[in-house]
């Protein structure tokens, strides 16, 4: 099923429910909104250590959530938009936007007992992919959601394994990402709920230096509950199709990966949860080449490569906040920088602490290591990011934040470069009361 197929399914379900309304429906159409203004300073606007330029930027735009809900269906959308302007580089002015579909189908569970269906559709247009997006180290204050607490990356769905570019920062390059998928779950017994999922991700860069791609992923999980823990087997098949002109350093037609893991998750205490998983990935590259200096070309092996994969998470909540840690090792496909299979290891951590009813502090760390697998050498990168800041609620409808971010990236491969960036953000967010359009 491609992106259009998922959208057609969502439209069909909506019209089916409208044509078969339940009796005594309690329904509501609501709009939640906020508006954000952020001033930013960066000492390396283009993420290029060879030609550093500092600049001041302004980020201005809304966050919107429109949702229709009744006992049989919940449907709506999230929208995030920012108009970005720079003082010294007006040619880099952009409009960044993300959109996400909300779709929950309780009527299917009623009609087909024990069945759950989740449909995902997300679009992102941005001039700079966040290397640690969706990894737990996102800017939770810089781009607050309608509710004022979630980062833009949480509604974008722009991930490949973990992170939009797999833990690697690139030079500025506008890109479009579209992610669509469907997940089916069935409660076989009170302890056993197998799930089957499919999603695809289309990524297009508006620069010839990067590689476009379409990624198809199918997965199956079989979790079994035992007391306070869940034990499960996970399998996923991933196929990356490279589209258009290759990068200057690499070329490939396709990467195929079979991933098999076992996972254990547990509520260790009422305030402490954790999980650990591990397994193997079997990866094959088709018609993969690496271009070297002097015009020479190296054909990479098309044999199956075997690599360990896995991860662990730990989350602790307490009276005034929370602490989380996450570590993962996955197989990626270059993140647009190279047409080459990579082993990506990412560690992130964050802490949120409420100093008072109005003031809170935040800190996060992120570390990533990317290396080409097999006989490829295009990617060999280590990336660090540290962020910290605080937020303050001036009124019930107005909050502000101040954040510092430091990025340090060191590369020994040809597909990425060294990057050192310091950034400061000061933002204000105005949150409107929910508006009930229909009840």
């Amino acid at each position: 099923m491609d992106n259009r197929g998922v959208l057609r399914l969502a439209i069909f379900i909506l019209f089916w429910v409208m044509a078969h309304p339940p009796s005594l429906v309690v329904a509501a159409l609501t709009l939640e909104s906020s508006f954000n203004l952020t001033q930013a300073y960066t000492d390396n606007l283009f993420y290029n250590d060879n030609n550093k330029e500092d600049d001041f930027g302004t980020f201005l735009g809304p966050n919107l959530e429109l949702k229709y809900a009744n006992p049989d269906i919940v449907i709506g959308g999230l929208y995030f938009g920012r108009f970005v302007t720079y003082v010294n580089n007006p040619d880099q002015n952009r409009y960044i936007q993300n959109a996400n579909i909300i779709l929950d189908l309780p009527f299917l569970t009623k009609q087909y007992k024990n069945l759950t269906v989740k449909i995902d559709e997300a679009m992102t247009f941005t001039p700079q992919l966040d290397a640690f997006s969706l990894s737990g180290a996102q800017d939770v204050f810089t781009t607050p959601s309608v509710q004022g607490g979630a980062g833009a990356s949480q509604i974008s769905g722009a991930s490949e394994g973990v992170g939009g570019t797999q833990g690697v920062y690139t030079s500025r390059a506008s890109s479009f990402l579209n992610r669509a998928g469907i997940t089916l779950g069935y409660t076989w017994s009170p302890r056993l709920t197998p799930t089957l999922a499919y999603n695809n991700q289309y990524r297009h860069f508006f620069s010839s230096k990067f590689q476009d791609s379409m990624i198809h992923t199918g997965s199956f999980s079989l979790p079994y509950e035992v007391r306070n823990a869940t034990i499960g087997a996970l399998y996923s098949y991933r196929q990356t199709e490279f589209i258009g002109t290759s990068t200057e350093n690499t070329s490939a037609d396709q990467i195929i990966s079979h991933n098999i893991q076992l996972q254990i998750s547990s509520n260790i205490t009422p305030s402490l949860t954790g999980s650990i998983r591990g397994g193997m990935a079997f990866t094959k590259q088709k018609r993969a080449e690496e271009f070297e200096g002097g015009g020479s070309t190296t054909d990479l092996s098309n044999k199956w490569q075997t690599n360990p994969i896995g991860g662990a998470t730990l989350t602790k909540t307490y009276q005034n906040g929370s602490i989380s840690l996450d570590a993962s090792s996955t197989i990626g496909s270059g993140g647009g920088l190279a047409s080459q299979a990579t082993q990506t290891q990412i560690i992130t951590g964050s802490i949120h602490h409420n100093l008072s009813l109005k003031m809170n502090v935040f800190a996060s760390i992120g570390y990533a290591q990317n290396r080409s697998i097999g006989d490829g050498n295009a990617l060999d990168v280590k990336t660090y990011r540290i962020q910290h800041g605080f937020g303050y609620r001036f009124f019930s409808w107005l909050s502000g934040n101040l954040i510092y971010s430091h990025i340090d990236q060191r590369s020994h491969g040809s597909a990425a470069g060294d990057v050192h960036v310091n950034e400061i953000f000061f933002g204000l967010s105005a949150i409107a009361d929910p508006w009930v359009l229909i009840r």
Side-chain angles (χ1 to χ4, degrees):
M1 182 183 297
D2 60 12
N3 301 332
R4 289 175 296 180
V6 173
L7 287 174
R8 291 192 190 104
L9 177 60
I11 294 170
F12 169 78
I13 292 170
L14 174 61
F15 279 99
W16 189 94
V17 173
M18 294 175 65
H20 300 80
S23 58
L24 302 176
V25 169
V26 178
L29 178 64
T30 59
L31 175 65
E32 297 187 27
S33 61
S34 67
F35 194 84
N36 178 268
L37 170 63
T38 297
Q39 294 294 128
Y41 168 78
T42 176
D43 66 355
N44 191 353
L45 177 64
F46 298 99
Y47 282 47
N48 183 351
D49 281 11
N50 295 323
N51 185 24
K52 279 191 173 184
E53 286 194 38
D54 63 339
D55 210 338
F56 290 89
T58 300
F59 298 71
L60 186 70
N63 291 49
L64 304 172
E65 177 183 292
L66 181 65
K67 183 168 66 176
Y68 172 81
N70 69 31
D72 281 340
I73 188 170
V74 178
I75 188 169
L78 294 168
Y79 178 79
F80 163 93
R82 293 291 184 272
F83 181 61
V84 185
T85 62
Y86 291 99
V87 174
N88 300 324
N89 293 274
D91 58 320
Q92 295 298 314
N93 295 351
R94 295 288 189 275
Y95 187 74
I96 306 169
Q97 54 186 333
N98 303 331
N100 220 7
I101 285 179
I102 302 170
L103 186 57
D104 190 17
L105 309 170
F107 81 91
L108 285 178
T109 303
K110 296 177 183 177
Q111 185 165 354
Y112 304 100
K113 190 176 180 180
N114 300 331
L115 176 69
T116 58
V117 179
K118 181 183 179 183
I119 295 176
D120 295 310
E121 168 64 31
M123 293 173 286
T124 304
F125 177 80
T126 176
Q128 182 72 55
L129 287 173
D130 182 356
F132 289 100
S133 175
L134 298 181
S135 65
Q138 61 266 33
D139 307 48
V140 294
F141 291 134
T142 305
T143 50
S145 70
V146 173
Q147 303 298 336
S153 57
Q154 291 178 293
I155 68 170
S156 72
S159 68
E160 177 181 334
V162 176
T165 47
Q166 299 179 263
V168 182
Y169 284 96
T170 72
S171 59
R172 289 175 63 85
S174 295
S175 65
F176 170 78
L177 296 96
N178 189 84
R179 184 176 182 273
I182 182 169
T183 302
L184 304 176
Y186 186 80
T187 305
W188 197 275
S189 72
R191 294 182 181 272
L192 184 63
T193 306
T195 62
L196 183 66
Y198 165 78
N199 70 74
N200 62 57
Q201 176 182 283
Y202 170 69
R203 172 164 30 204
H204 172 66
F205 290 92
F206 298 91
S207 171
S208 59
K209 296 181 180 179
F210 298 87
Q211 178 71 65
D212 296 350
S213 63
M214 170 68 83
I215 301 173
H216 301 273
T217 304
S219 62
F220 176 74
S221 65
L222 196 64
Y224 185 80
E225 295 185 13
V226 181
R227 294 185 180 179
N228 293 328
T230 301
I231 302 173
L234 311 172
Y235 167 77
S236 66
Y237 170 81
R238 177 170 165 163
Q239 179 173 308
T240 301
E241 304 282 350
F242 295 106
I243 303 170
T245 305
S246 63
T247 65
E248 297 178 354
N249 304 300
T250 60
S251 175
D253 286 352
Q254 189 181 84
I255 296 175
I256 295 174
S257 182
H258 297 272
N259 306 279
I260 302 172
Q261 299 183 78
L262 292 177
Q263 175 173 290
I264 300 175
S265 59
S266 175
N267 296 321
I268 303 168
T269 70
S271 63
L272 181 65
T273 62
S275 68
I276 186 169
R277 66 186 185 278
M280 301 298 293
F282 306 91
T283 307
K284 184 176 183 179
Q285 305 180 88
K286 294 186 176 181
R287 299 182 182 87
E289 299 177 321
E290 187 168 323
F291 310 129
E292 302 173 0
S296 60
T297 300
T298 300
D299 292 328
L300 304 185
S301 171
N302 62 357
K303 296 180 179 180
W304 287 100
Q305 305 287 334
T306 303
N307 299 90
I309 57 174
T313 64
L314 193 65
T315 302
K316 169 68 176 179
T317 59
Y318 57 97
Q319 183 176 0
N320 292 322
S322 64
I323 302 173
S324 65
L325 293 171
D326 184 277
S328 67
S329 179
T330 60
I331 300 298
S333 51
L337 294 167
S339 314
Q340 204 164 95
T342 58
Q343 179 99 43
T344 299
Q345 297 171 325
I346 292 181
I347 301 173
T348 61
S350 66
I351 180 170
H352 306 263
H353 182 78
N354 298 317
L355 296 174
S356 67
L357 291 176
K358 290 189 174 183
M359 181 176 288
N360 53 69
V361 294
F362 148 84
S364 73
I365 59 172
Y367 166 78
Q369 179 175 290
N370 279 267
R371 287 184 177 175
S372 301
I373 66 173
D375 45 5
N377 295 301
L379 279 169
D380 185 1
V381 187
K382 291 182 180 180
T383 306
Y384 306 83
R385 184 174 80 172
I386 300 173
Q387 293 184 323
H388 59 84
F390 69 91
Y392 189 83
R393 185 172 294 276
F394 300 100
F395 306 103
S396 61
W397 56 272
L398 181 65
S399 61
N401 58 71
L402 179 65
I403 298 175
Y404 168 75
S405 174
H406 173 74
I407 297 167
D408 187 340
Q409 177 170 291
R410 302 166 189 178
S411 174
H412 299 287
S414 58
D418 293 345
V419 175
H420 298 83
V421 184
N422 293 287
E423 296 173 304
I424 298 174
F425 303 91
F426 172 70
L428 293 172
S429 293
I431 304 173
D433 292 332
W435 186 16
V436 180
L437 304 176
I438 300 175
R439 185 182 295 277

